[in-house]
Amino acid sequence: MYLALWPILQATPESSFDTTTIIRVVAGLLALVLVIAILLRRKRKASKQDWS
C-alpha cells in the first residue's frame, strides 16, 4: 500500500501539507478502503453460495 501512495507523496511540495492535499490523501485512502471492503464482501458472499 505504501508503494501506491509513493507517487502522491513525491508530488507534494517540500513545504508543509496544505488543506487540499490532506483532503485528497484522506479521500483516496477512504476510497481504497471502500473498494477493498466491497471486494471482500462480494468474495465472501460468492463462497457462501458455492457451498449451499
Side-chain angles (χ1 to χ4, degrees):
M1 186 155 112
Y2 182 73
L3 290 175
L5 295 176
W6 185 249
I8 295 172
L9 295 174
Q10 280 187 332
T12 58
E14 291 299 321
S15 63
S16 64
F17 284 101
D18 60 341
T19 309
T20 308
T21 305
I22 294 172
I23 292 172
R24 286 181 183 172
V25 170
V26 170
L29 289 174
L30 286 175
L32 185 63
V33 168
L34 284 174
V35 167
I36 291 171
I38 290 170
L39 290 175
L40 288 176
R41 187 173 173 191
R42 289 179 58 137
K43 184 178 178 183
R44 202 174 329 145
K45 187 183 253 188
S47 69
K48 282 184 181 179
Q49 288 177 354
D50 288 345
W51 289 103
S52 348

mmCIF file of all heavy atoms in Angstrom:
data_model
loop_
_atom_site.group_PDB
_atom_site.id
_atom_site.type_symbol
_atom_site.label_atom_id
_atom_site.label_comp_id
_atom_site.label_asym_id
_atom_site.label_seq_id
_atom_site.Cartn_x
_atom_site.Cartn_y
_atom_site.Cartn_z
ATOM 1 N N MET A 1 0.834 -1.184 0.000
ATOM 2 C CA MET A 1 0.000 0.000 0.000
ATOM 3 C C MET A 1 0.878 1.247 0.000
ATOM 4 O O MET A 1 0.510 2.250 -0.578
ATOM 5 C CB MET A 1 -0.915 -0.012 1.216
ATOM 6 C CG MET A 1 -1.902 1.123 1.185
ATOM 7 S SD MET A 1 -3.358 0.764 2.108
ATOM 8 C CE MET A 1 -3.179 1.907 3.428
ATOM 9 N N TYR A 2 2.025 1.149 0.648
ATOM 10 C CA TYR A 2 2.926 2.302 0.661
ATOM 11 C C TYR A 2 3.383 2.636 -0.758
ATOM 12 O O TYR A 2 3.525 3.809 -1.098
ATOM 13 C CB TYR A 2 4.114 2.007 1.566
ATOM 14 C CG TYR A 2 5.068 3.162 1.678
ATOM 15 C CD1 TYR A 2 4.729 4.295 2.403
ATOM 16 C CD2 TYR A 2 6.306 3.130 1.046
ATOM 17 C CE1 TYR A 2 5.598 5.355 2.500
ATOM 18 C CE2 TYR A 2 7.183 4.178 1.139
ATOM 19 C CZ TYR A 2 6.828 5.293 1.865
ATOM 20 O OH TYR A 2 7.688 6.346 1.964
ATOM 21 N N LEU A 3 3.581 1.611 -1.577
ATOM 22 C CA LEU A 3 4.001 1.860 -2.957
ATOM 23 C C LEU A 3 2.917 2.580 -3.752
ATOM 24 O O LEU A 3 3.220 3.358 -4.645
ATOM 25 C CB LEU A 3 4.358 0.540 -3.632
ATOM 26 C CG LEU A 3 5.629 -0.136 -3.122
ATOM 27 C CD1 LEU A 3 5.795 -1.500 -3.779
ATOM 28 C CD2 LEU A 3 6.842 0.728 -3.374
ATOM 29 N N ALA A 4 1.647 2.328 -3.424
ATOM 30 C CA ALA A 4 0.562 3.007 -4.117
ATOM 31 C C ALA A 4 0.521 4.491 -3.752
ATOM 32 O O ALA A 4 0.122 5.318 -4.560
ATOM 33 C CB ALA A 4 -0.771 2.348 -3.778
ATOM 34 N N LEU A 5 0.933 4.827 -2.550
ATOM 35 C CA LEU A 5 0.913 6.219 -2.100
ATOM 36 C C LEU A 5 2.200 6.973 -2.446
ATOM 37 O O LEU A 5 2.236 8.190 -2.334
ATOM 38 C CB LEU A 5 0.690 6.276 -0.587
ATOM 39 C CG LEU A 5 -0.652 5.766 -0.105
ATOM 40 C CD1 LEU A 5 -0.680 5.798 1.414
ATOM 41 C CD2 LEU A 5 -1.780 6.580 -0.673
ATOM 42 N N TRP A 6 3.239 6.266 -2.863
ATOM 43 C CA TRP A 6 4.513 6.887 -3.129
ATOM 44 C C TRP A 6 4.436 8.019 -4.148
ATOM 45 O O TRP A 6 5.000 9.090 -3.915
ATOM 46 C CB TRP A 6 5.522 5.830 -3.544
ATOM 47 C CG TRP A 6 6.902 6.370 -3.733
ATOM 48 C CD1 TRP A 6 7.577 6.493 -4.905
ATOM 49 C CD2 TRP A 6 7.770 6.882 -2.708
ATOM 50 N NE1 TRP A 6 8.806 7.036 -4.673
ATOM 51 C CE2 TRP A 6 8.949 7.291 -3.343
ATOM 52 C CE3 TRP A 6 7.641 7.036 -1.340
ATOM 53 C CZ2 TRP A 6 10.002 7.844 -2.636
ATOM 54 C CZ3 TRP A 6 8.699 7.588 -0.645
ATOM 55 C CH2 TRP A 6 9.858 7.981 -1.285
ATOM 56 N N PRO A 7 3.743 7.871 -5.309
ATOM 57 C CA PRO A 7 3.666 8.999 -6.259
ATOM 58 C C PRO A 7 2.974 10.225 -5.655
ATOM 59 O O PRO A 7 3.359 11.351 -5.952
ATOM 60 C CB PRO A 7 2.847 8.441 -7.425
ATOM 61 C CG PRO A 7 2.976 6.976 -7.317
ATOM 62 C CD PRO A 7 3.140 6.667 -5.863
ATOM 63 N N ILE A 8 1.994 10.004 -4.814
ATOM 64 C CA ILE A 8 1.297 11.130 -4.188
ATOM 65 C C ILE A 8 2.246 11.862 -3.248
ATOM 66 O O ILE A 8 2.299 13.091 -3.228
ATOM 67 C CB ILE A 8 0.049 10.640 -3.426
ATOM 68 C CG1 ILE A 8 -0.961 10.067 -4.408
ATOM 69 C CG2 ILE A 8 -0.577 11.771 -2.621
ATOM 70 C CD1 ILE A 8 -2.130 9.387 -3.742
ATOM 71 N N LEU A 9 2.998 11.088 -2.475
ATOM 72 C CA LEU A 9 3.917 11.702 -1.523
ATOM 73 C C LEU A 9 5.059 12.418 -2.226
ATOM 74 O O LEU A 9 5.529 13.451 -1.766
ATOM 75 C CB LEU A 9 4.459 10.639 -0.567
ATOM 76 C CG LEU A 9 3.425 9.999 0.358
ATOM 77 C CD1 LEU A 9 4.061 8.862 1.136
ATOM 78 C CD2 LEU A 9 2.829 11.016 1.298
ATOM 79 N N GLN A 10 5.515 11.908 -3.358
ATOM 80 C CA GLN A 10 6.595 12.556 -4.090
ATOM 81 C C GLN A 10 6.122 13.832 -4.766
ATOM 82 O O GLN A 10 6.886 14.766 -4.928
ATOM 83 C CB GLN A 10 7.152 11.619 -5.154
ATOM 84 C CG GLN A 10 8.103 10.597 -4.607
ATOM 85 C CD GLN A 10 8.748 9.806 -5.717
ATOM 86 O OE1 GLN A 10 8.165 9.631 -6.787
ATOM 87 N NE2 GLN A 10 9.953 9.320 -5.483
ATOM 88 N N ALA A 11 4.849 13.875 -5.168
ATOM 89 C CA ALA A 11 4.334 15.031 -5.884
ATOM 90 C C ALA A 11 4.077 16.220 -4.966
ATOM 91 O O ALA A 11 3.908 17.335 -5.432
ATOM 92 C CB ALA A 11 3.043 14.654 -6.612
ATOM 93 N N THR A 12 4.053 16.001 -3.670
ATOM 94 C CA THR A 12 3.780 17.092 -2.750
ATOM 95 C C THR A 12 4.982 18.018 -2.670
ATOM 96 O O THR A 12 6.123 17.588 -2.759
ATOM 97 C CB THR A 12 3.450 16.574 -1.339
ATOM 98 O OG1 THR A 12 4.528 15.799 -0.889
ATOM 99 C CG2 THR A 12 2.176 15.761 -1.349
ATOM 100 N N PRO A 13 4.730 19.292 -2.506
ATOM 101 C CA PRO A 13 5.848 20.230 -2.398
ATOM 102 C C PRO A 13 6.618 20.012 -1.095
ATOM 103 O O PRO A 13 6.134 19.374 -0.166
ATOM 104 C CB PRO A 13 5.158 21.598 -2.409
ATOM 105 C CG PRO A 13 3.756 21.337 -2.009
ATOM 106 C CD PRO A 13 3.442 19.936 -2.449
ATOM 107 N N GLU A 14 7.804 20.560 -1.025
ATOM 108 C CA GLU A 14 8.653 20.390 0.151
ATOM 109 C C GLU A 14 8.101 21.114 1.370
ATOM 110 O O GLU A 14 8.459 20.815 2.486
ATOM 111 C CB GLU A 14 10.071 20.883 -0.160
ATOM 112 C CG GLU A 14 10.801 20.015 -1.155
ATOM 113 C CD GLU A 14 10.982 18.590 -0.677
ATOM 114 O OE1 GLU A 14 11.245 18.382 0.515
ATOM 115 O OE2 GLU A 14 10.850 17.679 -1.501
ATOM 116 N N SER A 15 7.242 22.102 1.139
ATOM 117 C CA SER A 15 6.656 22.815 2.267
ATOM 118 C C SER A 15 5.641 21.914 2.970
ATOM 119 O O SER A 15 5.358 20.808 2.534
ATOM 120 C CB SER A 15 5.980 24.097 1.791
ATOM 121 O OG SER A 15 4.915 23.779 0.925
ATOM 122 N N SER A 16 5.078 22.403 4.046
ATOM 123 C CA SER A 16 4.130 21.586 4.811
ATOM 124 C C SER A 16 2.879 21.298 3.985
ATOM 125 O O SER A 16 2.575 21.997 3.015
ATOM 126 C CB SER A 16 3.752 22.312 6.100
ATOM 127 O OG SER A 16 3.074 23.510 5.774
ATOM 128 N N PHE A 17 2.144 20.280 4.398
ATOM 129 C CA PHE A 17 0.920 19.906 3.701
ATOM 130 C C PHE A 17 -0.103 21.024 3.828
ATOM 131 O O PHE A 17 -0.308 21.566 4.909
ATOM 132 C CB PHE A 17 0.314 18.637 4.325
ATOM 133 C CG PHE A 17 1.034 17.388 3.944
ATOM 134 C CD1 PHE A 17 1.921 16.793 4.817
ATOM 135 C CD2 PHE A 17 0.808 16.795 2.718
ATOM 136 C CE1 PHE A 17 2.583 15.636 4.471
ATOM 137 C CE2 PHE A 17 1.463 15.632 2.366
ATOM 138 C CZ PHE A 17 2.354 15.058 3.236
ATOM 139 N N ASP A 18 -0.751 21.341 2.726
ATOM 140 C CA ASP A 18 -1.861 22.277 2.815
ATOM 141 C C ASP A 18 -3.156 21.490 2.955
ATOM 142 O O ASP A 18 -3.176 20.270 2.848
ATOM 143 C CB ASP A 18 -1.900 23.225 1.617
ATOM 144 C CG ASP A 18 -2.064 22.491 0.298
ATOM 145 O OD1 ASP A 18 -1.786 21.287 0.262
ATOM 146 O OD2 ASP A 18 -2.470 23.131 -0.689
ATOM 147 N N THR A 19 -4.240 22.171 3.206
ATOM 148 C CA THR A 19 -5.523 21.524 3.477
ATOM 149 C C THR A 19 -6.000 20.687 2.298
ATOM 150 O O THR A 19 -6.498 19.581 2.476
ATOM 151 C CB THR A 19 -6.576 22.593 3.817
ATOM 152 O OG1 THR A 19 -6.045 23.443 4.830
ATOM 153 C CG2 THR A 19 -7.852 21.964 4.307
ATOM 154 N N THR A 20 -5.830 21.182 1.092
ATOM 155 C CA THR A 20 -6.293 20.465 -0.093
ATOM 156 C C THR A 20 -5.577 19.130 -0.251
ATOM 157 O O THR A 20 -6.201 18.114 -0.558
ATOM 158 C CB THR A 20 -6.063 21.318 -1.350
ATOM 159 O OG1 THR A 20 -6.623 22.608 -1.140
ATOM 160 C CG2 THR A 20 -6.704 20.694 -2.563
ATOM 161 N N THR A 21 -4.280 19.118 -0.026
ATOM 162 C CA THR A 21 -3.510 17.879 -0.156
ATOM 163 C C THR A 21 -3.949 16.862 0.889
ATOM 164 O O THR A 21 -4.114 15.677 0.574
ATOM 165 C CB THR A 21 -2.007 18.173 0.002
ATOM 166 O OG1 THR A 21 -1.636 19.172 -0.938
ATOM 167 C CG2 THR A 21 -1.191 16.923 -0.224
ATOM 168 N N ILE A 22 -4.160 17.316 2.103
ATOM 169 C CA ILE A 22 -4.597 16.405 3.164
ATOM 170 C C ILE A 22 -5.952 15.804 2.821
ATOM 171 O O ILE A 22 -6.174 14.600 2.972
ATOM 172 C CB ILE A 22 -4.637 17.143 4.520
ATOM 173 C CG1 ILE A 22 -3.215 17.529 4.924
ATOM 174 C CG2 ILE A 22 -5.281 16.280 5.590
ATOM 175 C CD1 ILE A 22 -3.135 18.428 6.127
ATOM 176 N N ILE A 23 -6.869 16.635 2.324
ATOM 177 C CA ILE A 23 -8.202 16.143 1.953
ATOM 178 C C ILE A 23 -8.101 15.118 0.831
ATOM 179 O O ILE A 23 -8.767 14.084 0.855
ATOM 180 C CB ILE A 23 -9.120 17.321 1.559
ATOM 181 C CG1 ILE A 23 -9.420 18.156 2.795
ATOM 182 C CG2 ILE A 23 -10.404 16.825 0.909
ATOM 183 C CD1 ILE A 23 -10.153 19.436 2.504
ATOM 184 N N ARG A 24 -7.256 15.380 -0.146
ATOM 185 C CA ARG A 24 -7.092 14.440 -1.264
ATOM 186 C C ARG A 24 -6.523 13.109 -0.803
ATOM 187 O O ARG A 24 -6.976 12.040 -1.236
ATOM 188 C CB ARG A 24 -6.185 15.040 -2.333
ATOM 189 C CG ARG A 24 -6.844 16.118 -3.141
ATOM 190 C CD ARG A 24 -5.896 16.645 -4.181
ATOM 191 N NE ARG A 24 -6.510 17.742 -4.917
ATOM 192 C CZ ARG A 24 -5.877 18.507 -5.775
ATOM 193 N NH1 ARG A 24 -4.587 18.307 -6.004
ATOM 194 N NH2 ARG A 24 -6.500 19.474 -6.400
ATOM 195 N N VAL A 25 -5.534 13.141 0.066
ATOM 196 C CA VAL A 25 -4.921 11.905 0.554
ATOM 197 C C VAL A 25 -5.923 11.108 1.373
ATOM 198 O O VAL A 25 -6.079 9.891 1.196
ATOM 199 C CB VAL A 25 -3.649 12.213 1.370
ATOM 200 C CG1 VAL A 25 -3.153 10.978 2.089
ATOM 201 C CG2 VAL A 25 -2.566 12.780 0.467
ATOM 202 N N VAL A 26 -6.659 11.776 2.254
ATOM 203 C CA VAL A 26 -7.658 11.086 3.082
ATOM 204 C C VAL A 26 -8.767 10.510 2.212
ATOM 205 O O VAL A 26 -9.195 9.373 2.407
ATOM 206 C CB VAL A 26 -8.215 12.033 4.165
ATOM 207 C CG1 VAL A 26 -9.404 11.422 4.873
ATOM 208 C CG2 VAL A 26 -7.131 12.387 5.158
ATOM 209 N N ALA A 27 -9.235 11.276 1.229
ATOM 210 C CA ALA A 27 -10.284 10.783 0.331
ATOM 211 C C ALA A 27 -9.797 9.583 -0.474
ATOM 212 O O ALA A 27 -10.538 8.620 -0.680
ATOM 213 C CB ALA A 27 -10.741 11.899 -0.600
ATOM 214 N N GLY A 28 -8.562 9.621 -0.922
ATOM 215 C CA GLY A 28 -8.004 8.492 -1.657
ATOM 216 C C GLY A 28 -7.903 7.245 -0.803
ATOM 217 O O GLY A 28 -8.222 6.141 -1.252
ATOM 218 N N LEU A 29 -7.475 7.413 0.444
ATOM 219 C CA LEU A 29 -7.390 6.272 1.352
ATOM 220 C C LEU A 29 -8.769 5.698 1.656
ATOM 221 O O LEU A 29 -8.943 4.472 1.684
ATOM 222 C CB LEU A 29 -6.696 6.679 2.651
ATOM 223 C CG LEU A 29 -5.199 6.938 2.546
ATOM 224 C CD1 LEU A 29 -4.662 7.475 3.865
ATOM 225 C CD2 LEU A 29 -4.466 5.680 2.157
ATOM 226 N N LEU A 30 -9.748 6.564 1.871
ATOM 227 C CA LEU A 30 -11.111 6.083 2.126
ATOM 228 C C LEU A 30 -11.670 5.338 0.920
ATOM 229 O O LEU A 30 -12.326 4.299 1.070
ATOM 230 C CB LEU A 30 -12.021 7.250 2.500
ATOM 231 C CG LEU A 30 -11.829 7.824 3.897
ATOM 232 C CD1 LEU A 30 -12.710 9.052 4.086
ATOM 233 C CD2 LEU A 30 -12.137 6.785 4.959
ATOM 234 N N ALA A 31 -11.412 5.849 -0.270
ATOM 235 C CA ALA A 31 -11.877 5.166 -1.479
ATOM 236 C C ALA A 31 -11.228 3.793 -1.604
ATOM 237 O O ALA A 31 -11.899 2.811 -1.952
ATOM 238 C CB ALA A 31 -11.575 6.020 -2.708
ATOM 239 N N LEU A 32 -9.938 3.707 -1.302
ATOM 240 C CA LEU A 32 -9.236 2.423 -1.362
ATOM 241 C C LEU A 32 -9.805 1.433 -0.358
ATOM 242 O O LEU A 32 -10.033 0.263 -0.679
ATOM 243 C CB LEU A 32 -7.750 2.656 -1.105
ATOM 244 C CG LEU A 32 -6.832 1.460 -1.244
ATOM 245 C CD1 LEU A 32 -6.840 0.948 -2.680
ATOM 246 C CD2 LEU A 32 -5.424 1.844 -0.836
ATOM 247 N N VAL A 33 -10.080 1.892 0.852
ATOM 248 C CA VAL A 33 -10.654 1.028 1.883
ATOM 249 C C VAL A 33 -12.043 0.553 1.464
ATOM 250 O O VAL A 33 -12.388 -0.626 1.642
ATOM 251 C CB VAL A 33 -10.703 1.760 3.235
ATOM 252 C CG1 VAL A 33 -11.543 1.014 4.241
ATOM 253 C CG2 VAL A 33 -9.302 1.952 3.765
ATOM 254 N N LEU A 34 -12.850 1.435 0.894
ATOM 255 C CA LEU A 34 -14.195 1.038 0.449
ATOM 256 C C LEU A 34 -14.135 -0.004 -0.655
ATOM 257 O O LEU A 34 -14.906 -0.976 -0.639
ATOM 258 C CB LEU A 34 -14.977 2.260 -0.029
ATOM 259 C CG LEU A 34 -15.507 3.168 1.066
ATOM 260 C CD1 LEU A 34 -16.128 4.416 0.461
ATOM 261 C CD2 LEU A 34 -16.518 2.434 1.916
ATOM 262 N N VAL A 35 -13.255 0.166 -1.608
ATOM 263 C CA VAL A 35 -13.138 -0.804 -2.703
ATOM 264 C C VAL A 35 -12.712 -2.166 -2.160
ATOM 265 O O VAL A 35 -13.276 -3.199 -2.540
ATOM 266 C CB VAL A 35 -12.143 -0.292 -3.771
ATOM 267 C CG1 VAL A 35 -11.773 -1.394 -4.745
ATOM 268 C CG2 VAL A 35 -12.734 0.892 -4.502
ATOM 269 N N ILE A 36 -11.752 -2.179 -1.256
ATOM 270 C CA ILE A 36 -11.304 -3.445 -0.666
ATOM 271 C C ILE A 36 -12.431 -4.103 0.118
ATOM 272 O O ILE A 36 -12.650 -5.316 0.021
ATOM 273 C CB ILE A 36 -10.062 -3.217 0.215
ATOM 274 C CG1 ILE A 36 -8.881 -2.852 -0.674
ATOM 275 C CG2 ILE A 36 -9.750 -4.445 1.048
ATOM 276 C CD1 ILE A 36 -7.657 -2.406 0.087
ATOM 277 N N ALA A 37 -13.186 -3.304 0.884
ATOM 278 C CA ALA A 37 -14.299 -3.856 1.663
ATOM 279 C C ALA A 37 -15.369 -4.447 0.746
ATOM 280 O O ALA A 37 -15.897 -5.535 1.020
ATOM 281 C CB ALA A 37 -14.907 -2.776 2.549
ATOM 282 N N ILE A 38 -15.683 -3.773 -0.334
ATOM 283 C CA ILE A 38 -16.694 -4.277 -1.271
ATOM 284 C C ILE A 38 -16.218 -5.573 -1.914
ATOM 285 O O ILE A 38 -16.985 -6.538 -2.040
ATOM 286 C CB ILE A 38 -17.023 -3.208 -2.330
ATOM 287 C CG1 ILE A 38 -17.796 -2.061 -1.677
ATOM 288 C CG2 ILE A 38 -17.821 -3.804 -3.483
ATOM 289 C CD1 ILE A 38 -17.965 -0.849 -2.561
ATOM 290 N N LEU A 39 -14.959 -5.619 -2.327
ATOM 291 C CA LEU A 39 -14.443 -6.838 -2.953
ATOM 292 C C LEU A 39 -14.441 -8.012 -1.984
ATOM 293 O O LEU A 39 -14.812 -9.132 -2.357
ATOM 294 C CB LEU A 39 -13.036 -6.593 -3.492
ATOM 295 C CG LEU A 39 -12.939 -5.676 -4.707
ATOM 296 C CD1 LEU A 39 -11.481 -5.424 -5.059
ATOM 297 C CD2 LEU A 39 -13.687 -6.256 -5.886
ATOM 298 N N LEU A 40 -14.029 -7.782 -0.744
ATOM 299 C CA LEU A 40 -14.032 -8.858 0.244
ATOM 300 C C LEU A 40 -15.443 -9.336 0.540
ATOM 301 O O LEU A 40 -15.686 -10.538 0.690
ATOM 302 C CB LEU A 40 -13.354 -8.394 1.530
ATOM 303 C CG LEU A 40 -11.839 -8.220 1.458
ATOM 304 C CD1 LEU A 40 -11.310 -7.659 2.774
ATOM 305 C CD2 LEU A 40 -11.168 -9.532 1.123
ATOM 306 N N ARG A 41 -16.378 -8.414 0.615
ATOM 307 C CA ARG A 41 -17.772 -8.791 0.893
ATOM 308 C C ARG A 41 -18.350 -9.627 -0.243
ATOM 309 O O ARG A 41 -19.036 -10.618 -0.014
ATOM 310 C CB ARG A 41 -18.588 -7.513 1.098
ATOM 311 C CG ARG A 41 -19.979 -7.755 1.552
ATOM 312 C CD ARG A 41 -20.649 -6.454 1.888
ATOM 313 N NE ARG A 41 -22.055 -6.691 2.163
ATOM 314 C CZ ARG A 41 -22.949 -5.742 2.282
ATOM 315 N NH1 ARG A 41 -22.598 -4.497 2.153
ATOM 316 N NH2 ARG A 41 -24.197 -6.033 2.513
ATOM 317 N N ARG A 42 -18.062 -9.218 -1.472
ATOM 318 C CA ARG A 42 -18.557 -9.988 -2.624
ATOM 319 C C ARG A 42 -17.926 -11.371 -2.672
ATOM 320 O O ARG A 42 -18.579 -12.360 -2.992
ATOM 321 C CB ARG A 42 -18.272 -9.234 -3.924
ATOM 322 C CG ARG A 42 -19.134 -8.000 -4.100
ATOM 323 C CD ARG A 42 -18.801 -7.300 -5.372
ATOM 324 N NE ARG A 42 -18.991 -8.206 -6.491
ATOM 325 C CZ ARG A 42 -19.566 -7.881 -7.633
ATOM 326 N NH1 ARG A 42 -20.001 -6.659 -7.817
ATOM 327 N NH2 ARG A 42 -19.693 -8.758 -8.590
ATOM 328 N N LYS A 43 -16.642 -11.449 -2.338
ATOM 329 C CA LYS A 43 -15.962 -12.739 -2.343
ATOM 330 C C LYS A 43 -16.559 -13.662 -1.283
ATOM 331 O O LYS A 43 -16.790 -14.842 -1.534
ATOM 332 C CB LYS A 43 -14.472 -12.526 -2.078
ATOM 333 C CG LYS A 43 -13.660 -13.774 -2.154
ATOM 334 C CD LYS A 43 -12.196 -13.484 -1.935
ATOM 335 C CE LYS A 43 -11.388 -14.760 -1.977
ATOM 336 N NZ LYS A 43 -9.969 -14.511 -1.697
ATOM 337 N N ARG A 44 -16.827 -13.111 -0.109
ATOM 338 C CA ARG A 44 -17.405 -13.913 0.967
ATOM 339 C C ARG A 44 -18.806 -14.387 0.589
ATOM 340 O O ARG A 44 -19.175 -15.526 0.836
ATOM 341 C CB ARG A 44 -17.453 -13.080 2.251
ATOM 342 C CG ARG A 44 -17.510 -13.916 3.487
ATOM 343 C CD ARG A 44 -17.410 -13.106 4.755
ATOM 344 N NE ARG A 44 -16.613 -11.897 4.620
ATOM 345 C CZ ARG A 44 -16.873 -10.763 5.260
ATOM 346 N NH1 ARG A 44 -17.886 -10.678 6.070
ATOM 347 N NH2 ARG A 44 -16.111 -9.711 5.096
ATOM 348 N N LYS A 45 -19.584 -13.511 -0.031
ATOM 349 C CA LYS A 45 -20.948 -13.871 -0.435
ATOM 350 C C LYS A 45 -20.911 -14.959 -1.509
ATOM 351 O O LYS A 45 -21.697 -15.893 -1.487
ATOM 352 C CB LYS A 45 -21.674 -12.634 -0.959
ATOM 353 C CG LYS A 45 -23.147 -12.865 -1.245
ATOM 354 C CD LYS A 45 -23.769 -11.603 -1.826
ATOM 355 C CE LYS A 45 -24.649 -10.964 -0.802
ATOM 356 N NZ LYS A 45 -25.413 -9.848 -1.364
ATOM 357 N N ALA A 46 -19.980 -14.860 -2.435
ATOM 358 C CA ALA A 46 -19.864 -15.867 -3.507
ATOM 359 C C ALA A 46 -19.443 -17.217 -2.930
ATOM 360 O O ALA A 46 -19.945 -18.262 -3.378
ATOM 361 C CB ALA A 46 -18.862 -15.399 -4.553
ATOM 362 N N SER A 47 -18.579 -17.221 -1.949
ATOM 363 C CA SER A 47 -18.150 -18.502 -1.370
ATOM 364 C C SER A 47 -19.275 -19.153 -0.596
ATOM 365 O O SER A 47 -19.378 -20.378 -0.565
ATOM 366 C CB SER A 47 -16.914 -18.306 -0.482
ATOM 367 O OG SER A 47 -17.249 -17.592 0.686
ATOM 368 N N LYS A 48 -20.138 -18.377 0.025
ATOM 369 C CA LYS A 48 -21.301 -18.960 0.722
ATOM 370 C C LYS A 48 -22.266 -19.610 -0.262
ATOM 371 O O LYS A 48 -22.832 -20.654 0.001
ATOM 372 C CB LYS A 48 -22.031 -17.874 1.513
ATOM 373 C CG LYS A 48 -21.367 -17.512 2.819
ATOM 374 C CD LYS A 48 -22.212 -16.504 3.571
ATOM 375 C CE LYS A 48 -21.564 -16.104 4.862
ATOM 376 N NZ LYS A 48 -22.359 -15.119 5.586
ATOM 377 N N GLN A 49 -22.452 -18.983 -1.420
ATOM 378 C CA GLN A 49 -23.367 -19.531 -2.427
ATOM 379 C C GLN A 49 -22.802 -20.814 -3.022
ATOM 380 O O GLN A 49 -23.557 -21.705 -3.394
ATOM 381 C CB GLN A 49 -23.611 -18.505 -3.525
ATOM 382 C CG GLN A 49 -24.472 -17.349 -3.060
ATOM 383 C CD GLN A 49 -24.643 -16.307 -4.158
ATOM 384 O OE1 GLN A 49 -24.028 -16.393 -5.213
ATOM 385 N NE2 GLN A 49 -25.488 -15.327 -3.894
ATOM 386 N N ASP A 50 -21.514 -20.939 -3.125
ATOM 387 C CA ASP A 50 -20.906 -22.150 -3.684
ATOM 388 C C ASP A 50 -21.145 -23.352 -2.780
ATOM 389 O O ASP A 50 -21.332 -24.464 -3.248
ATOM 390 C CB ASP A 50 -19.397 -21.961 -3.867
ATOM 391 C CG ASP A 50 -19.085 -21.018 -5.020
ATOM 392 O OD1 ASP A 50 -19.992 -20.754 -5.832
ATOM 393 O OD2 ASP A 50 -17.943 -20.525 -5.063
ATOM 394 N N TRP A 51 -21.142 -23.159 -1.460
ATOM 395 C CA TRP A 51 -21.277 -24.258 -0.533
ATOM 396 C C TRP A 51 -22.723 -24.629 -0.259
ATOM 397 O O TRP A 51 -22.994 -25.693 0.235
ATOM 398 C CB TRP A 51 -20.596 -23.911 0.790
ATOM 399 C CG TRP A 51 -19.110 -23.890 0.672
ATOM 400 C CD1 TRP A 51 -18.328 -22.784 0.590
ATOM 401 C CD2 TRP A 51 -18.243 -25.012 0.567
ATOM 402 N NE1 TRP A 51 -17.014 -23.139 0.465
ATOM 403 C CE2 TRP A 51 -16.925 -24.499 0.454
ATOM 404 C CE3 TRP A 51 -18.429 -26.391 0.573
ATOM 405 C CZ2 TRP A 51 -15.823 -25.341 0.334
ATOM 406 C CZ3 TRP A 51 -17.317 -27.202 0.465
ATOM 407 C CH2 TRP A 51 -16.043 -26.690 0.342
ATOM 408 N N SER A 52 -23.680 -23.751 -0.557
ATOM 409 C CA SER A 52 -25.070 -24.085 -0.258
ATOM 410 C C SER A 52 -25.748 -24.869 -1.350
ATOM 411 O O SER A 52 -25.336 -25.035 -2.398
ATOM 412 C CB SER A 52 -25.922 -22.874 -0.023
ATOM 413 O OG SER A 52 -25.276 -21.716 0.140
#
